[in-house]
Amino acid sequence: TSKRRSSRSSSPAPPPPQPVLPIIDTRALADEVDSGRYPSMKRYEEDNHANVCLLCKDGGDLLCCDFCRNAEHIECIRKRFIIKDPEPEDDFMCHKCILQVLARRTRAEKRRLEKQKRDEQRRQEEAIQERLLNPGIKKGMEYPYLASKGHDVNELLELLQDAQTRLKQSLAASKMNNARRKIMGCFYAKK
């Protein structure tokens, strides 16, 4: 007996979902570049932009990138990103410059998150060390613990001030007694 699989005819599987295109604000990206956030990216000052679209390799109504030599059709770039129709005074970025800025943003965000994670680990390690050095601290009881330690320190300071005052009084009394002895010594020596 051979095993057979029966294929049931059912409705065709739905097509896979289309990837969601990122929404890009090229003005914000241009402002980041102009602010110096990415020092290696500068405005492209020359006037020799490409005559064909970087993406489709056709000529026609091209937008020139303000940050490199590339030129692209707005329709071609919209196949990769969602961007609004640029105004004549708006800066334009080709898809390569957009990807470069987005990659740098991602790297910066990754570094920021790594630093935040390291800082949090350091704070946790310091808290563990503090608990090991001061076992009286329980989690959530840091303020009462510190308040009690502050009270203990104030009591010690009062004791030290009191001892200092008594020492000064004792020194003053000792000086006075030495002066009296000298006077009395002279008085008895004359007789």
Side-chain angles (χ1 to χ4, degrees):
T1 64
S2 65
K3 293 183 181 180
R4 285 188 161 188
R5 279 196 173 167
S6 62
S7 68
R8 295 180 185 155
S9 75
S10 60
S11 61
Q18 294 295 322
V20 178
L21 298 175
I23 300 171
I24 304 296
D25 181 3
T26 56
R27 285 182 297 175
L29 298 180
D31 289 345
E32 287 180 26
V33 173
D34 289 340
S35 73
R37 185 170 182 188
Y38 312 112
S40 64
M41 286 187 77
K42 304 273 188 237
R43 289 201 168 263
Y44 189 71
E45 300 295 331
E46 303 196 25
D47 199 22
N48 61 346
H49 284 90
N51 295 328
V52 294
C53 175
L54 180 66
L55 296 170
C56 72
K57 308 296 184 217
D58 286 335
D61 190 20
L62 297 171
L63 295 172
C64 298
C65 181
D66 289 316
F67 299 93
C68 72
R69 182 177 185 286
N70 298 328
E72 295 176 335
H73 296 111
I74 190 74
E75 299 82 21
C76 293
I77 201 166
R78 282 205 172 124
K79 291 177 184 173
R80 294 176 180 244
F81 305 108
I82 297 173
I83 60 171
K84 71 175 190 84
D85 286 329
E87 299 294 323
E89 69 276 357
D90 283 350
D91 295 317
F92 177 75
M93 275 191 173
C94 69
H95 81 280
K96 282 190 171 188
C97 289
I98 289 173
L99 290 174
Q100 188 175 11
V101 171
L102 294 178
R104 290 177 183 200
R105 261 189 187 176
T106 302
R107 270 198 324 261
E109 180 65 12
K110 183 179 176 184
R111 283 193 304 265
R112 187 190 68 77
L113 290 173
E114 287 171 352
K115 182 182 183 304
Q116 184 179 11
K117 185 178 178 182
R118 282 193 311 269
D119 291 347
E120 180 60 29
Q121 286 175 339
R122 182 182 47 79
R123 280 192 294 275
Q124 288 176 353
E125 289 170 1
E126 288 173 357
I128 289 170
Q129 282 290 68
E130 183 67 26
R131 283 191 207 110
L132 290 174
L133 294 173
N134 301 301
I137 299 178
K138 292 186 176 89
K139 190 167 179 137
M141 298 298 292
E142 292 88 357
Y143 179 79
Y145 174 79
L146 291 175
S148 72
K149 292 301 175 190
H151 181 70
D152 293 348
V153 168
N154 280 337
E155 286 181 357
L156 285 172
L157 285 172
E158 287 176 13
L159 287 172
L160 285 172
Q161 287 173 343
D162 186 47
Q164 187 179 25
T165 303
R166 280 187 274 140
L167 183 61
K168 285 179 182 177
Q169 290 171 347
S170 178
L171 284 173
S174 177
K175 285 182 182 177
M176 185 61 80
N177 287 340
N178 284 340
R180 285 184 186 149
R181 283 188 192 112
K182 282 184 184 178
I183 292 173
M184 293 299 251
C186 290
F187 178 72
Y188 285 115
K190 289 183 183 178
K191 285 187 178 181

